Amino acid sequence: MDQDLAALEAALAQDIANAADPAALDGVRVAALGKKGRVTELVKSLGTLPPEERREAGAAFNALKERVTEALAARRSALEAAALDARLAAERIDVTLPARPEPSGRIHPVSQVTEEIVAIFSDMGFSVAEGPDVEDDFHNFGALNIPPEHPARQMLDTFYLATAGKDAQPLVLRTHTSPVQIRTMQAGPPPYRIIAPGRTYRCDYDATHAPMFHQVEGLVIDRHTHMGHLKGCLIDFIHAFFEREDIKVRFRPSFFPFTEPSAEVDIGCDRSGGELRIGEGDDWLEILGSGMVHPNVLRAVGLDPEEWQGFAFGMGIDRVTMLKYGIPDLRTFFDADLRWLQHYGFPAQDVPSTAGGLSR
Ligand code: PHE
């Protein structure tokens, strides 16, 4: 009897040790402790023994049952630990691997610089306004105090579009972003503080002029806005944009029909040695036009110039992009040459912000 028990225990121990995974181990458990298991049968067989043997045999069977149960549990946790180890090894990742390569698409320098300009003026409390590329005579010229005989209206500069009917207002491709001033003031009551970047068109083509180019307009109208605000705003902008506080800025008297007084804004530069360096030397380079909004412009949109006043400015985006990033020929902006874009373009993740450093 004792020998049989020892043999059974040894056989079960062997099966348990041989079980290679939890399913196999479960099979061993059922074969030993299940309803018809070998150990279960033993316990059941107690009833067939003579009463004087039952007590001792019962104790031996139960002790066997307990040891088998323990052996099964020990094997189960060993198998689980091994399975976890295997999974950890299989799912291991090497966090020291370099990041995946950047996508190869590039943001066009004009788009990037537009975002830079928007970031700077957003910080000053400006919002972004837009207007259509196809404008009517009133918004592009009339409301901006540009009289019918003004040279800017000549066919030479302006792209006129065919219009329906003789009496229809002439339609043009906007020659500047200034019509967005008019649309902004027509859209709601003052005060206004907007910039309006966008495409503009003039019949012109050489190394520094393209028939389609980009401008950004600025407009600030309030009750007490004056020339000091214009100067402070533009000087701050220029320092932020070129990322240098020491750039000299000069306001030079000029003329625009829609501003009075008007000033063109120059920045200090050096042209010696055939190279242009911003912020050095004693030369000047014009980068934008500005002025106090003309009373006639305010009247054209129904504002009382005695009550409301302010300033406006307009700047060529392509021009300042060439200056900031050292791009020599404007025409290359519009060639759609991928090699050029790879060289001068910006990674898509490179979103300009004044807090994060504009251009890094
Ligand atoms: N619209 C002018 C231009 O295209 C620029 C400008 C805008 C000047 C606003 C003064 C005020 O040259």
Side-chain angles (χ1 to χ4, degrees), residues 3-317:
Q3 267 175 12
D4 289 355
L5 281 190
L8 174 60
E9 185 168 358
L12 288 174
Q14 192 63 51
D15 290 350
I16 289 170
N18 287 344
D21 53 55
L25 188 64
D26 216 45
V28 177
R29 181 187 63 80
V30 172
L33 305 175
K35 258 192 198 149
K36 297 206 163 107
R38 291 161 80 183
V39 178
T40 312
E41 293 295 335
L42 269 182
V43 176
K44 279 195 208 155
S45 72
L46 275 175
T48 65
L49 291 179
E52 62 277 15
E53 290 178 21
R54 277 187 208 163
R55 201 185 147 126
E56 210 183 315
F61 293 171
N62 276 329
L64 171 66
K65 189 176 165 184
E66 243 163 64
R67 285 196 299 277
V68 171
T69 305
E70 268 168 31
L72 282 165
R75 179 69 183 149
R76 179 168 303 275
S77 53
L79 283 174
E80 279 169 0
L84 182 61
D85 282 349
R87 189 168 154 206
L88 286 176
E91 292 180 3
R92 182 169 177 273
I93 52 163
D94 185 352
V95 292
T96 67
L97 278 175
R100 285 172 204 277
E102 286 176 353
S104 59
R106 282 283 190 277
I107 303 292
H108 195 286
V110 168
S111 305
Q112 186 78 7
V113 164
T114 303
E115 290 302 322
E116 291 184 14
I117 293 168
V118 168
I120 296 168
F121 281 108
S122 299
D123 270 11
M124 298 190 202
F126 284 70
S127 49
V128 173
E130 283 182 316
D133 287 16
V134 174
E135 269 297 3
D136 55 39
D137 192 88
F138 175 76
H139 289 92
N140 196 77
F141 296 124
L144 287 161
N145 198 34
I146 302 177
E149 67 282 1
H150 193 277
R153 289 197 180 204
Q154 277 170 20
M155 292 295 259
L156 230 59
D157 280 318
T158 308
F159 288 112
Y160 280 88
L161 302 178
T163 35
K166 259 206 315 348
D167 301 329
Q169 235 201 113
L171 289 181
V172 300
L173 291 177
R174 66 179 180 189
T175 58
H176 50 183
T177 41
S178 300
V180 186
Q181 290 186 33
I182 304 303
R183 291 189 177 275
T184 301
M185 293 191 282
Q186 285 176 323
Y192 311 107
R193 196 187 292 172
I194 58 105
I195 56 165
R199 293 193 181 92
T200 46
Y201 306 83
R202 280 179 212 173
C203 194
D204 217 346
Y205 189 59
D206 61 36
T208 53
H209 297 91
M212 190 280 290
F213 57 106
H214 301 83
Q215 282 192 341
V216 59
E217 193 79 10
L219 175 70
V220 175
I221 300 283
D222 211 325
R223 291 182 190 276
H224 305 293
T225 308
H226 54 69
M227 192 91 186
H229 294 126
L230 178 159
K231 290 183 70 177
C233 173
L234 293 177
I235 292 170
D236 279 358
F237 165 75
I238 288 165
H239 289 165
F241 178 73
F242 289 105
E243 298 172 68
R244 281 181 65 165
E245 291 295 318
D246 60 349
I247 291 187
K248 286 187 291 180
V249 181
R250 176 173 82 171
F251 291 80
R252 181 169 36 78
S254 184
F255 174 81
F256 299 101
F258 32 90
T259 48
E260 180 59 33
S262 303
E264 279 180 309
V265 181
D266 300 335
I267 54 175
C269 72
D270 179 29
R271 285 191 177 87
S272 63
E275 221 188 288
L276 184 68
R277 270 181 301 276
I278 305 280
E280 288 157 41
D282 301 318
D283 243 339
W284 296 101
L285 179 74
E286 185 228 313
I287 64 160
L288 60 87
S290 67
M292 301 306 294
V293 174
H294 197 289
N296 287 350
V297 174
L298 296 169
R299 283 187 200 107
V301 294
L303 291 180
D304 179 0
E306 298 297 323
E307 209 181 327
W308 300 101
Q309 55 179 345
F311 64 88
F313 58 88
M315 182 175 74
I317 298 179

